[in-house]
Amino acid sequence: MRFAPDREQQDMAATLRDLLADAGTARIARSWADGESAPWWEVWHQLAELGVTGLTVPPDRGGLGLGAVEMVLCLDQLGYAALPGPLVESLAFLPRLVPESPWLAELAEGQSVGTAVVAEHVPRALDADQAGAVFRSDGEEVRRLSGFRLQRAESVDPARRLFTVEHATAEPVAAADPGAAFDHGVLGCAAYLLGLGRRMLDTATEHVTQRHQFGRPVGEFQAVKHHLANVLLELEFARPLVWGACLSVDGPRGPRDVSAAKLAAGEAARTAARTALQVHGAIGYTAEHDLHLWLTKATALRTAWGTPAWHRARVARALATDTAPIGA
Amino acid sequence: MDLDLSPADVAFRDEVREWLREHVPREPLPSLETEEGFAAHRRWEQELHEARLSVVSWPEEFGGRGASLLQWVLFEEEYYAAGAPGRVSQNGIFLLAPTLFEHGTPDQQQRYLPRMAAGTDIWAQAWSEPEAGSDLASIRSTARRVDGGWLLSGQKTWSSRAAFADRAFGLFRSDPEAQRHRGLTYFLFPLDAEGVTVRPIGRIDGKPAFAELFLDDVFVPDEDVLGEVGEGWRVAMSTASNERGLTLRSPGRFLATAQRLTELPGALDDDRVVDAWIAAQAYRLATFETVTRVTEGGSLGAEASLNKLFWSELDVAMHETAWDLLGPDAEVSSWVEGYLFSLAGPIYAGTNEIQRNVAAERLLGLPRGSR
Ligand SMILES: Cc1cc2nc3c(=O)[nH]c(=O)nc-3n(C[C@H](O)[C@H](O)[C@H](O)COP(=O)(O)OP(=O)(O)OC[C@H]3O[C@@H](n4cnc5c(N)ncnc54)[C@H](O)[C@@H]3O)c2cc1C
């Protein structure tokens, strides 16, 4: 038993974190929201050099063929950076959904990005205008869409560029297991939420250490400390659920365990967002401050890939017959 | 990353499971907070000891079986899942023993650990005082130097199970000149020593094992000073992290409570049940993460404060939820004792307000404010 990332996995996450910190992802999020995509693609190419874009793509399609643990550690870092784009779709969902698609080679090379409409839970395709492949997964059936007209819908997070896909030709494609792929998407989303939450906590911690009122840093006030301690508490106990779900995602308890992970991560990110905003005071409520880039994304992702209520109900249904531990 | 058990771990777990299946009393023992229950629980400790299951993680020479930290966590899971009795000797085993291993002399280890393992000595923790609660460093009870030892005087309070326990470990001010944390010394003393008066205090449920201690020139020989004279605070704090962190409250009991909760009528229609089950799993997985870290040479520092916050609040939430599910039957149900005990979780082992301060200052690095 060793319930922690190994050296290589830690190094991968650390390298990714440095790369994203240098890239200035807040600026990229703003330009992406404004429809200026070049800076984003620049980072995407850098990610390709690291192997991230082909992280879970099978080796015979040019990817690294790594598993859920690596996927989760990377999406956590991407969330920490709030890098926009169809990352959950491309890194967690699609390689599982259509593992035989030749298009995956373009993804792994960093030449393309993919997106999807997923029945019930992901009704609009994220960044479909930038995507080299758009898929639709309705339960059992998976189709690749083409010849479409896109209708933009404004998200609470301007960097989530959502599109309704109309009048498409829908070509059936060989899919692996849409249910399992969905669960990988859910898990990836949970990891991304964890990263968002941790970043908001770090930002808030930094702010309250610097901001003075009444002649001292506001972080010295106990009410503020306790707010932040609560955020840390929720995040630190959501993370092991996300890690645990990596171990069972491909087994019979996958649906239950990824739902628990997504629920906990989403709620922790929400607490982080609310608290970070509160302790920033009015500056946090402005578009000039970066906090909103993380906050609005956490708000959107909490209900994307299954709402908290939906995931909770799924866990409840599973518990009626199976209370074996998570990750087993 | 894995949760795989080695064949040795599986064999250990299966042996424990098997033994518990055969030995756990069919009828619950009377409450260990009563005299009769205390005695019954002491006999249970002795039975555990005979199977060498009372202190599995200790070295064999002291009555353990040198089990790994992981195996200990597995033991705890099995223990609570089997509905085995509460541990009357927990203060000794989980709070004093780690300190004895770390700071005790070989002589102290020999004199005390085997008796503790066997349930012969049941220990009480004598830290709190009427004027020293959260501000533990403001301890006033004194230790005065005499030939060959020390004379302890003063008042200790809120000592769990001290009314029936055999011995106590406590902090006393040995240097009245020194400031707060300095000048404290850690002592071991018998509760039936001359000069000790034990006054039971009924707990919230009226059970009489809780107690305050009055000490009037109680002689303690030098060999019962634990750690260096004047170093009591540092010695005690190594125990405190055990208390809040892993050992006092391993995931086993919360997993068992969560399981019982899911079995109540209508439980799965209540969101709180689902959330509690997930939280108990989170605590379990977080513990495996900690076990991994500690096994690889890391230590459990201020994270213990997060653990303490987590388990204590989870425990209250689970019991409140059970209460609601049971409705008017709750007040006469088997959940009553656990419910009332859960209410103490946010208070003992350092209140949750204090733990939030610790988490914010030590884990997030926020500035220490005025106290
Ligand atoms: C069931 C139970 C068993 C116990 N067993 C033992 C035992 O075996 N041995 C032993 O020595 N002790 C024991 N205790 C005592 C326990 O450790 C103390 O109760 C605890 O440390 C709190 O001290 P206090 O009760 O004096 O509360 P106080 O310190 O008076 O605190 C009162 C309130 O003020 C808050 N407060 C105090 N200071 C601060 C601060 N700086 N910032 C924010 N809030 C603050 C507290 O959080 C609390 O809410 C036990 C307590 C209980 C309830």
Side-chain angles (χ1 to χ4, degrees), chain B residues 31-85:
Chain B
S31 165
L32 57 76
E33 306 293 338
T34 63
E35 186 163 13
E36 179 203 8
F38 193 92
H41 280 77
R42 190 197 289 272
R43 285 192 295 280
W44 167 250
E45 287 294 323
Q46 289 161 351
E47 198 175 335
L48 277 174
H49 172 65
E50 277 154 29
R52 283 201 311 122
L53 289 174
S54 67
V55 286
V56 292
S57 59
W58 293 12
E60 295 192 15
E61 59 169 316
F62 299 122
R65 46 166 82 193
S68 66
L69 190 54
L70 172 60
Q71 288 176 340
W72 173 76
V73 175
L74 299 175
F75 170 83
E76 293 274 299
E77 283 187 4
E78 293 301 322
Y79 191 86
Y80 287 101

Side-chain angles (χ1 to χ4, degrees), chain B residues 301-344:
Chain B
E303 297 89 342
S305 294
L306 284 187
N307 278 359
K308 199 264 160 163
L309 287 167
F310 196 79
W311 61 249
S312 61
E313 291 179 357
L314 171 60
D315 207 28
V316 174
M318 288 196 293
H319 283 87
E320 283 181 349
T321 305
W323 206 265
D324 289 358
L325 288 168
L326 287 163
D329 293 336
E331 60 180 308
V332 296
S333 73
S334 63
W335 287 79
V336 172
E337 184 162 1
Y339 173 76
L340 290 176
F341 187 60
S342 76
L343 297 181

Side-chain angles (χ1 to χ4, degrees), chain A residues 1-3 69 205 208 220 222 225-226 230 233 237 239-241 243 247 256 312 319-320 323 325-326, chain B residues 1-2 4 259 268 271 275 278 281-282 284-285 289 292 296 306-307 353 356-357 361 364 367 369:
Chain A
M1 200 248 13
R2 192 176 178 287
F3 193 63
V69 175
T205 302
V208 303
E220 218 176 282
Q222 206 166 59
K225 278 185 184 152
H226 287 195
N230 288 337
L233 187 65
F237 286 91
R239 183 171 41 77
L241 288 169
W243 288 5
L247 304 179
R256 183 196 68 177
R312 194 181 271 116
L319 288 183
T323 56
I326 285 183
Chain B
M1 183 136 41
D2 70 82
D4 301 339
Q259 178 68 34
L268 295 175
D271 287 353
D275 290 348
I278 293 173
Q281 294 295 316
R284 175 178 193 264
L285 292 165
E289 205 184 324
T292 302
E296 292 179 355
L306 284 187
N307 278 359
E353 287 72 29
R356 284 188 161 82
N357 292 347
E361 290 166 10
L364 293 175

Side-chain angles (χ1 to χ4, degrees), chain B residues 9 14-15 35 39 52 65 103 120 128 140 147 178 181 200-201 210 224-226 234 254 288-289 295 310:
Chain B
D9 294 336
D14 291 350
E15 182 203 331
E35 186 163 13
R52 283 201 311 122
R65 46 166 82 193
H103 301 279
T120 315
S128 303
R140 293 182 184 175
D147 230 17
H181 302 79
I201 309 170
F210 217 27
D224 280 337
V225 170
L226 180 50
R234 202 174 53 82
F254 308 104
F288 286 135
E289 205 184 324
T295 305
F310 196 79

Side-chain angles (χ1 to χ4, degrees), chain B residues 110-332:
Chain B
Q110 277 307 335
R111 272 189 295 133
Y112 293 127
L113 290 169
R115 292 171 61 86
M116 195 191 293
T120 315
D121 288 340
I122 295 185
W123 290 80
Q125 180 193 31
W127 287 15
S128 303
E129 296 183 4
E131 302 300 330
S134 299
D135 185 14
L136 188 61
S138 66
I139 276 170
R140 293 182 184 175
S141 295
T142 56
R144 192 154 49 83
R145 195 90 185 88
V146 291
D147 230 17
W150 299 80
L151 291 178
L152 307 184
S153 292
Q155 185 184 353
K156 292 288 178 179
T157 192
W158 317 133
S159 190
S160 292
R161 292 170 291 284
F164 311 120
D166 307 292
R167 303 186 63 90
F169 53 98
L171 286 172
F172 292 80
R173 190 162 295 285
S174 51
D175 180 355
E177 305 297 313
Q179 289 290 311
R180 289 173 53 84
H181 302 79
R182 312 241 175 81
L184 296 177
T185 299
Y186 200 123
F187 290 94
L188 309 174
F189 60 96
L191 283 167
D192 61 358
E194 207 179 308
V196 179
T197 309
V198 179
R199 188 183 80 85
I201 309 170
R203 292 198 319 184
I204 206 169
D205 55 5
K207 306 249 168 65
F210 217 27
E212 59 185 337
L213 314 174
F214 298 90
L215 295 101
D216 183 12
D217 281 348
V218 178
F219 178 76
V220 177
D222 284 327
E223 57 263 30
D224 280 337
V225 170
L226 180 50
E228 302 287 306
V229 170
E231 289 293 315
W233 183 259
R234 202 174 53 82
V235 174
M237 286 309 110
S238 66
T239 310
S241 147
N242 283 306
E243 177 171 14
R244 283 172 211 136
L246 256 190
T247 55
L248 183 66
R249 296 288 179 264
S250 63
R253 87 162 62 199
F254 308 104
L255 291 168
T257 307
Q259 178 68 34
R260 281 173 67 214
L261 191 57
T262 61
E263 288 161 8
L264 291 177
L268 295 175
D269 298 329
D270 191 318
D271 287 353
R272 293 172 302 169
V273 173
V274 180
D275 290 348
W277 184 84
I278 293 173
Q281 294 295 316
Y283 189 47
R284 175 178 193 264
L285 292 165
T287 299
F288 286 135
E289 205 184 324
T290 305
V291 165
T292 302
R293 197 173 69 236
V294 172
T295 305
E296 292 179 355
S299 61
L300 185 67
E303 297 89 342
S305 294
L306 284 187
N307 278 359
K308 199 264 160 163
L309 287 167
F310 196 79
W311 61 249
S312 61
E313 291 179 357
L314 171 60
D315 207 28
V316 174
M318 288 196 293
H319 283 87
E320 283 181 349
T321 305
W323 206 265
D324 289 358
L325 288 168
L326 287 163
D329 293 336
E331 60 180 308
V332 296

Side-chain angles (χ1 to χ4, degrees), chain A:
Chain A
M1 200 248 13
R2 192 176 178 287
F3 193 63
D6 63 29
R7 243 293 42 102
E8 238 173 284
Q9 292 164 337
Q10 288 171 25
D11 288 349
M12 175 178 244
T15 310
L16 186 52
R17 188 171 178 131
D18 292 346
L19 183 155
L20 293 164
D22 290 346
T25 47
R27 187 182 46 85
I28 293 169
R30 285 192 162 90
S31 67
W32 185 251
D34 292 345
E36 237 180 84
S37 60
W40 187 89
W41 280 103
E42 208 174 299
V43 178
W44 189 246
H45 295 141
Q46 288 177 328
L47 292 176
E49 271 161 45
L50 270 188
V52 172
T53 56
L55 199 65
T56 57
V57 171
D60 60 6
R61 294 275 172 281
L64 297 177
L66 293 171
V69 175
E70 285 83 1
M71 181 270 280
V72 151
L73 294 175
C74 287
L75 277 166
D76 185 353
Q77 293 304 329
L78 293 162
Y80 192 83
L83 187 71
L87 304 177
V88 170
E89 288 78 353
S90 299
L91 304 181
F93 178 63
L94 292 176
R96 282 281 158 177
L97 187 73
V98 289
E100 312 210 322
S101 167
W103 164 78
L104 287 180
E106 289 171 44
L107 171 70
E109 279 168 24
Q111 297 312 315
S112 180
V113 67
T115 193
V117 173
V118 188
E120 194 183 349
H121 301 296
V122 186
R124 293 169 200 87
L126 189 58
D127 306 308
D129 62 338
Q130 294 289 321
V134 181
F135 293 87
R136 195 180 71 205
S137 172
D138 313 320
E140 291 307 294
E141 203 182 56
V142 176
R143 289 168 187 272
R144 182 166 175 174
L145 310 182
S146 53
F148 39 71
R149 257 197 2 225
L150 300 175
Q151 172 103 35
R152 175 83 191 264
E154 291 294 330
S155 163
V156 61
D157 168 13
R160 273 174 63 78
R161 302 163 55 265
L162 296 171
F163 294 91
T164 309
V165 189
E166 288 170 28
H167 302 297
T169 326
E171 201 69 40
V173 289
D177 178 346
F182 173 71
D183 287 333
H184 278 261
V186 170
L187 183 57
C189 185
Y192 193 95
L193 278 159
L194 270 189
L196 287 173
R198 182 67 213 200
R199 177 61 171 272
M200 288 188 278
L201 174 59
D202 288 355
T203 305
T205 302
E206 201 180 310
H207 180 76
V208 303
T209 313
Q210 258 134 49
R211 171 73 172 167
H212 282 63
Q213 289 292 283
F214 304 99
R216 31 183 175 146
V218 294
E220 218 176 282
F221 298 111
Q222 206 166 59
V224 171
K225 278 185 184 152
H226 287 195
H227 277 321
L228 295 185
N230 288 337
V231 175
L232 181 66
L233 187 65
E234 270 195 64
L235 286 169
E236 281 298 288
F237 286 91
R239 183 171 41 77
L241 288 169
V242 173
W243 288 5
C246 291
L247 304 179
S248 51
V249 59
D250 292 315
R253 300 191 179 101
R256 183 196 68 177
D257 294 358
V258 300
S259 280
K262 167 70 165 48
L263 178 61
E267 297 311 86
R270 170 181 166 277
T271 306
R274 286 285 326 274
T275 306
L277 175 57
Q278 185 65 22
V279 305
H280 270 80
I283 184 72
Y285 199 72
T286 67
E288 283 164 26
H289 195 285
D290 287 344
L291 176 64
H292 77 289
L293 300 172
W294 277 259
L295 182 147
T296 54
K297 211 176 282 301
T299 306
L301 288 181
R302 182 168 168 259
T303 40
W305 293 93
T307 64
W310 188 83
H311 285 296
R312 194 181 271 116
R314 194 157 76 144
V315 175
R317 271 198 311 281
L319 288 183
T321 54
D322 180 13
T323 56
I326 285 183

